[in-house]
Amino acid sequence: MESVPLVTTLTVSLRFVIGVAAGVAATLAMDLVMARLTEGETPPLVAAGVLTDSAPQHAPERLASVVHYVAGWLTGPLFVWVLLTSEGLLGGQSLLATGLAAAVLYALMVGFFVFVVLPRSRLPSVRLAAIRRDWAISAAAYLLVLVPLVAVGSRLV
């Protein structure tokens, strides 16, 4: 029976810890971007409104904050999982594997919000395009912080 080296097992675990830490940093950076966009701060309210079956303007702000931060922090480890998968498919750590993982996560982030969450909101259709655009920008800002932090951290462990 072959044993897996302890370093390999710890390396994977540590990469998930790095993902959480990077998710926290990326969420804080995303907050700065969202605050500057016209509809930037609307997506957390939309999510809270969908969860409470209410219009975003009547959604609990505390719930919107909790949903935003928990989702942001947990998206870091989700990226690590996607990255590990792409590295497995492409033969190890590389810029191509990292780029592929980032593209997949961006599509998941934007697609889930645009096609699952936003259609369930009670917003006028005239606002939806601006909300989609601002969410896409916010998600890109998130990944611009998350991806390099996870990539560098992954090479250190």
Side-chain angles (χ1 to χ4, degrees), residues 50 110-121:
V50 168
V110 174
F112 180 75
F113 182 77
V114 168
F115 297 114
V116 176
V117 178
L118 194 56
R120 289 169 174 72
S121 71

Side-chain angles (χ1 to χ4, degrees), residues 62-84:
R62 179 172 286 182
L63 178 60
S65 291
V66 168
V67 168
H68 171 65
Y69 287 108
V70 169
W73 299 351
L74 293 179
T75 300
L78 175 61
F79 175 70
V80 170
W81 180 78
V82 173
L83 180 59
L84 288 169

Side-chain angles (χ1 to χ4, degrees), residues 23-157:
V24 170
T27 303
L28 295 173
M30 180 188 219
D31 287 345
L32 298 174
V33 173
M34 290 172 77
R36 294 175 186 238
L37 299 170
T38 308
E39 294 285 0
E41 295 179 345
T42 304
L45 292 170
V46 168
V50 168
L51 289 173
T52 59
D53 195 27
S54 60
Q57 63 270 23
H58 301 298
E61 288 188 27
R62 179 172 286 182
L63 178 60
S65 291
V66 168
V67 168
H68 171 65
Y69 287 108
V70 169
W73 299 351
L74 293 179
T75 300
L78 175 61
F79 175 70
V80 170
W81 180 78
V82 173
L83 180 59
L84 288 169
T85 302
S86 69
E87 288 172 357
L89 292 171
L90 298 174
Q93 291 183 356
S94 67
L95 285 175
L96 179 61
T98 303
L100 175 63
V104 167
L105 187 60
Y106 183 74
L108 287 172
M109 289 174 72
V110 174
F112 180 75
F113 182 77
V114 168
F115 297 114
V116 176
V117 178
L118 194 56
R120 289 169 174 72
S121 71
R122 297 180 179 179
L123 289 169
S125 60
V126 297
R127 288 183 61 195
L128 297 182
I131 294 168
R132 283 190 293 265
R133 181 200 63 231
D134 286 358
W135 175 248
I137 293 168
S138 298
Y142 177 91
L143 289 176
L144 284 173
V145 174
L146 180 80
V147 172
L149 289 176
V150 170
V152 169
S154 294
R155 283 171 174 54
L156 296 176
V157 294

